[in-house]
Amino acid sequence: MSEKILITGGNGLVGSALAEVYTPPPDQMGEFENKNIIRVGSAEYNLINKSEVNLMFMNHRPKKVIHAAARVGGLGSNMKYKGEYFYDNLMMNANVIDQARIWGVKKLVAFLTTCAFPAEVEYPLDHTKIHLGEPHESNFGYAYAKRMAEVQIRAYREQYRSLKYSCVIPTNIYGPNDNFSLEHGHVVPMLIHKLYKAQRDGTDFTVWGSGKPLREFIFSRDVAKLTQWVLDKYEGEAPLILSTSDEITIEHLVDLLVKEFKFKGKVKFDSSKPDGQYRKPSDNSLIKDLVPAFKFTPIEEGIKETVQWLKENYDEARW
Ligand code: GDP
């Protein structure tokens, strides 16, 4: 019998990809017990509240935890809600990691983000550089809260030697079941939603900023598969950057999306909107050395699947 795994943020972008990865195809179900994967969302437990986190562990008694819950959003949302992003993420991480320790969880994987890195640091970003300077001013509330999860895990590993807790640091994740908010979303889901509407309504398609910034995108299923590997196999201390290390410009992303939608309307770049950090290239050599056979989903395929997903699930999608 496999060990009980609790996934926080279970209905989010990563949580739903994890659910898929942990559920084998029907013909390979065998002895698999789905009840060993517990996905919890904000409707069930408010992770900012310590007693609810305690209750969550008491109710489910997991052996392992994937802590994917976070208060997240794109550039616009990060700029607007810095205080909330700081407090909510700090408290959620502190509570989940500490209650996991109290309830005897020996293995936990927590999510950081490449946004947590310093704004000015020598590229490429690697795990040794997380604390080497101030984060970008557009998202410092979120960034510092996320950095503290790394600090907490490092401190716990030093004090409580049996805990094999680790951090993963994905770049910009996209995929089915994302939050497609036109106000708070990340760039991929937001642009997909905008294009969907522009095509439906015959209007222009407006992109924020200059289109020049560079980003590294990773498909949610790839993040889920790598996280599953980390939970099962990795006991090291170093946070693992989950990244293709392929940078593309926002302009290039826009071209891919326009092509996927076969959009014939006008594409506009709105320079009154922010560009955010210009680039944040990352070094993925640690995870590549550990899982050399892993094949990342090409962005064209991931985009195709995500666009298709929104078209088929428009009425149920989150935003
Ligand atoms: P980030 O990677 O943490 O900065 O967050 P985002 O996923 O929100 O990506 C922000 C980048 O995409 C910036 O360079 C924005 O200027 C650019 N961008 C272009 N159009 C949009 C849009 O409609 N929404 C968002 N969130 N970003 C956009």
Side-chain angles (χ1 to χ4, degrees), residues 192-246:
I192 290 178
H193 192 174
K194 283 187 193 172
L195 254 177
Y196 179 93
K197 288 182 71 168
Q199 192 164 52
R200 186 192 62 191
D201 304 338
T203 52
D204 295 344
F205 168 46
T206 306
V207 179
W208 287 3
S210 63
K212 304 295 176 213
L214 293 138
R215 292 290 182 273
E216 295 174 356
F217 297 102
I218 182 165
F219 193 46
S220 54
R221 190 178 303 128
D222 294 352
V223 172
K225 286 181 181 167
L226 289 169
T227 303
Q228 186 184 36
W229 181 88
V230 173
L231 191 73
D232 285 349
K233 303 274 194 288
Y234 184 67
E235 298 209 335
E237 205 170 355
L240 296 174
I241 291 182
L242 308 184
S243 156
T244 62
S245 290
D246 294 330

Side-chain angles (χ1 to χ4, degrees), residues 27-38:
D27 58 327
Q28 292 163 32
M29 272 308 260
E31 295 294 297
F32 184 82
E33 291 192 51
N34 230 340
K35 66 178 189 305
N36 282 332
I37 305 297
I38 316 281

Side-chain angles (χ1 to χ4, degrees), residues 74-75 115 172 185-187 190 194 208 213 215 250 274-275 280:
L75 175 60
C115 302
N172 200 317
H186 281 105
V187 58
M190 200 154 151
K194 283 187 193 172
W208 287 3
R215 292 290 182 273
I250 299 296
D275 267 343
K280 28 192 166 182

Side-chain angles (χ1 to χ4, degrees), residues 45-149:
Y45 300 100
N46 175 3
L47 303 179
I48 296 165
N49 181 324
K50 182 174 155 184
S51 53
E52 289 200 33
V53 179
N54 177 44
L55 187 68
M56 175 176 81
F57 279 95
M58 189 158 67
N59 287 343
H60 297 298
R61 317 262 172 154
K63 284 275 177 283
K64 295 179 174 179
V65 171
I66 297 175
H67 176 40
R71 174 84 192 270
V72 290
L75 175 60
S77 187
N78 263 289
M79 291 171 71
K80 197 164 166 192
Y81 302 110
K82 287 185 178 124
E84 288 177 46
Y85 272 72
F86 177 74
Y87 182 80
D88 292 0
N89 286 299
L90 190 73
M91 298 309 285
M92 278 192 237
N93 295 339
N95 286 333
V96 170
I97 296 166
D98 194 50
Q99 291 295 317
R101 172 188 72 78
I102 290 168
W103 284 91
V105 172
K106 294 286 183 267
K107 197 75 208 283
L108 174 146
V109 179
F111 275 79
L112 262 64
T113 156
T114 45
C115 302
F117 278 94
E120 282 170 38
V121 72
E122 198 181 312
Y123 291 136
L125 306 173
D126 71 49
H127 69 275
T128 64
K129 299 176 181 168
I130 299 172
H131 302 282
L132 295 187
E134 284 276 325
H136 193 261
E137 48 82 27
S138 61
N139 65 1
F140 73 85
Y142 181 67
Y144 272 118
K146 284 284 184 181
R147 283 188 192 186
M148 287 308 110

Side-chain angles (χ1 to χ4, degrees), residues 272-288:
S272 73
K273 294 286 192 214
D275 267 343
Q277 198 164 334
Y278 175 58
R279 60 188 295 229
K280 28 192 166 182
S282 67
D283 174 355
N284 67 359
S285 53
L286 259 185
I287 192 75
K288 274 183 85 173

